[in-house]
């Protein structure tokens, strides 16, 4: 297996974890309109920022960032160091390094091995507008307002495991899909960071690849970051836990995610659904393309009625060990430990066809 497909749910209670543009003195949460009703969401960019910051708090050195280009309101550019060999976040999350024209340097890109969707509410929600006044020791009070909401937000994710620590190179004629590194520079940097980087063919392209041990470590660090996830806006007024309330993961041979309809919103707009029968049908349809067990992380106390039904529907698979259910944190930390110890080394190369 080469891909880890998943879907996760964040439970927001009276929160405003990701905000859009303000409206006068009112702070607005991000939301989209679907069939005439509002659905709050957390953008993939915000979620990835939370994950980067969580990894950095745990000791991972983040890639330094800088702003380049023109002033605010005009053409703007910002970039990381764009060094995926040295910096784990540049490797896992990708980048686009768009330099100023005066630098006479090419724009370079790395596609992300860790893909995540928008965390969209599973049912329509009308955000509450909270009115506030700042009147402490001032004669002319300052009026302000902001929105918050309660909702379960769900998003898919996909990790392309062989791509971690693997950087394809552009062909001499300019063809191919570079991710991008100059081979001489890449190998020079790699030798300073981790001895043993090699060139090889990866998905029909020449590539520089780090040794297996640091690639294992990077995947493990990602899972550990998800297990300790923290972040979000308005923490002074709307602090909330951001560790996933629910997640399902399954190793896949290809980049297909079969979990989209396993966790979603009910068609009548009544909230979260987690359907064991749908999971069984998807696994049957993709027989031979996935590897057991399916890992389910479900926090105690979260949607207990749904969990009981899910466990009843999949009682046979749970008994057989095809589906394993635990706390999201323990499931993710155990997976990180297995990756780090080499138990999932087969995931780091594409399966033979």
């Amino acid at each position: 297996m080469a891909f880890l497909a998943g879907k996760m749910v964040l439970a927001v209670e009276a929160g405003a974890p990701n905000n859009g543009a303000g409206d006068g003195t009112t702070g607005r949460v991000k939301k989209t309109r679907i069939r005439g009703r509002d659905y709050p969401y957390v953008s993939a960019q915000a979620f990835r920022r939370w994950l980067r910051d969580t990894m950095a708090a745990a000791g991972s050195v983040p890639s330094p960032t800088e702003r380049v280009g023109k002033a605010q309101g005009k053409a703007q550019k910002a970039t990381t160091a764009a060094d995926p060999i040295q910096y784990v976040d540049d490797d896992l999350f990708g980048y686009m390094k768009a330099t100023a024209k005066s630098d006479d340097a090419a724009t370079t890109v790395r596609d992300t091995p860790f893909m995540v969707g928008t965390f969209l509410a599973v049912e329509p929600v009308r955000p509450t507008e909270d009115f506030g006044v700042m009147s402490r020791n001032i004669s002319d009070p300052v009026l302000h307002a902001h929105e918050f909401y309660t909702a379960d937000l769900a998003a898919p994710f996909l990790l392309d495991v062989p791509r971690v620590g693997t950087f394809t190179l552009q062909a001499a004629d300019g063809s191919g899909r570079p991710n991008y590194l100059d081979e001489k520079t890449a190998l020079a940097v790699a030798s300073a960071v981790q001895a043993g980087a090699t060139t090889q063919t990866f998905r029909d392209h020449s590539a520089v690849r780090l040794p297996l041990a640091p690639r294992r470590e990077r995947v493990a660090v990602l899972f550990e970051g998800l297990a300790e996830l923290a972040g979000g806006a308005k923490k002074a007024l709307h602090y909330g836990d951001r560790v996933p309330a629910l997640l399902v993961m399954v190793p896949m041979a290809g980049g297909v995610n079969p979990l989209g309809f396993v966790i979603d919103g009910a068609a009548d707009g009544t909230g979260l659904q987690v359907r064991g029968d749908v999971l069984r049908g998807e696994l049957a349809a993709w027989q031979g393309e996935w590897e057991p067990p399916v890992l389910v992380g479900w926090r105690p106390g979260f949607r207990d009625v749904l969990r009981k039904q899910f466990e009843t529907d999949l009682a046979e698979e749970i008994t057989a060990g095809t589906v394993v259910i635990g706390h999201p944190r323990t499931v993710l930390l155990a997976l990180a430990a297995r990756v780090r110890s080499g138990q999932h080394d087969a995931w780091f190369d594409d399966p033979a066809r």
Side-chain angles (χ1 to χ4, degrees):
M1 301 298 119
F3 295 83
L4 190 68
K7 194 160 187 181
M8 76 175 75
V9 175
L10 303 178
V12 176
E13 183 174 356
N18 189 204
N19 296 300
D23 178 12
T25 59
T26 301
R28 303 291 185 189
V29 296
K30 287 186 177 178
K31 53 186 176 289
T32 186
R33 198 143 180 91
I34 302 173
R35 292 183 287 277
R37 306 177 80 178
D38 289 336
Y39 288 73
Y41 70 90
V42 167
S43 70
Q45 179 187 18
F47 175 83
R48 285 156 60 93
R49 171 64 185 271
W50 302 350
L51 186 49
R52 282 177 185 261
D53 290 349
T54 301
M55 291 165 54
S60 178
V61 178
S63 180
T65 59
E66 66 172 330
R67 181 189 173 98
V68 296
K70 297 181 180 179
Q72 190 78 23
K74 297 184 178 180
Q76 302 174 58
K77 300 176 183 178
T79 181
T80 67
D83 185 350
I85 292 181
Q86 182 172 353
Y87 296 107
V88 174
D89 56 341
D90 274 345
D91 182 5
L92 292 173
F93 300 117
Y95 54 79
M96 181 178 73
K97 185 173 184 178
T99 58
K101 288 183 179 180
S102 59
D103 292 342
D104 193 28
T107 295
T108 60
V109 176
R110 171 163 172 75
D111 295 341
T112 176
F114 179 66
M115 294 154 269
V116 63
T118 298
F119 283 82
L120 184 66
V122 298
E123 61 184 321
V125 175
R126 178 177 290 177
T128 297
E129 186 170 310
D130 182 55
F131 177 73
V133 179
M134 172 53 180
S135 59
R136 189 172 60 251
N137 299 323
I138 56 177
S139 58
D140 189 11
V142 176
L143 309 181
H144 58 89
H146 72 277
E147 293 181 331
F148 67 89
Y149 60 89
T150 294
D152 296 327
L153 312 179
F157 63 91
L158 185 72
L159 177 63
D160 185 348
V161 182
R163 280 275 315 283
V164 176
T166 303
F167 316 106
T168 57
L169 306 168
Q170 197 167 22
D173 62 0
S175 64
R177 188 184 179 113
N179 277 316
Y180 285 126
L181 289 175
D182 168 81
E183 182 174 358
K184 181 178 179 181
T185 302
L187 287 174
V189 174
S191 65
V193 177
Q194 178 66 50
T198 60
T199 55
Q200 57 186 266
T201 300
F202 177 74
R203 297 177 183 172
D204 299 323
H205 297 287
S206 180
V208 173
R209 173 171 265 190
L210 294 177
L212 183 57
R215 287 188 283 136
R216 288 182 192 141
E217 182 63 22
R218 292 181 174 194
V219 172
V221 165
L222 178 68
F223 294 146
E224 289 168 347
L226 287 172
E228 306 280 353
L229 188 66
K234 295 285 186 184
K235 286 190 284 187
L237 300 176
H238 295 291
Y239 166 74
D241 186 11
R242 300 294 169 238
V243 173
L246 170 66
L247 79 158
V248 181
M249 298 179 289
V250 57
M252 299 289 295
V256 171
N257 191 325
L259 303 173
F261 299 114
V262 176
I263 299 174
D264 64 359
D268 60 3
T270 56
L272 183 68
Q273 333 183 86
V274 188
R275 296 182 286 180
D277 59 331
V278 174
L279 177 59
R280 181 184 293 115
E282 288 285 359
L283 295 179
W286 294 99
Q287 187 63 40
E289 296 295 312
W290 62 279
E291 174 186 297
V294 178
L295 299 175
V296 180
W298 199 315
R299 298 187 74 169
F302 178 73
R303 304 291 182 260
D304 286 335
V305 174
L306 285 177
R307 177 167 182 166
K308 184 176 181 180
Q309 185 62 54
F310 182 80
E311 292 178 345
T312 298
D313 291 344
L314 293 174
E316 183 178 336
E317 288 83 355
I318 293 170
T319 300
T322 304
V323 175
V324 174
I325 303 179
H327 191 289
R329 185 174 187 273
T330 57
V331 166
L332 287 163
L333 292 181
L335 178 58
R338 291 196 301 274
V339 168
R340 191 176 274 117
S341 69
Q343 294 182 49
H344 293 303
D345 281 356
W347 293 359
F348 287 85
D349 288 297
D350 289 325
R353 293 288 188 178

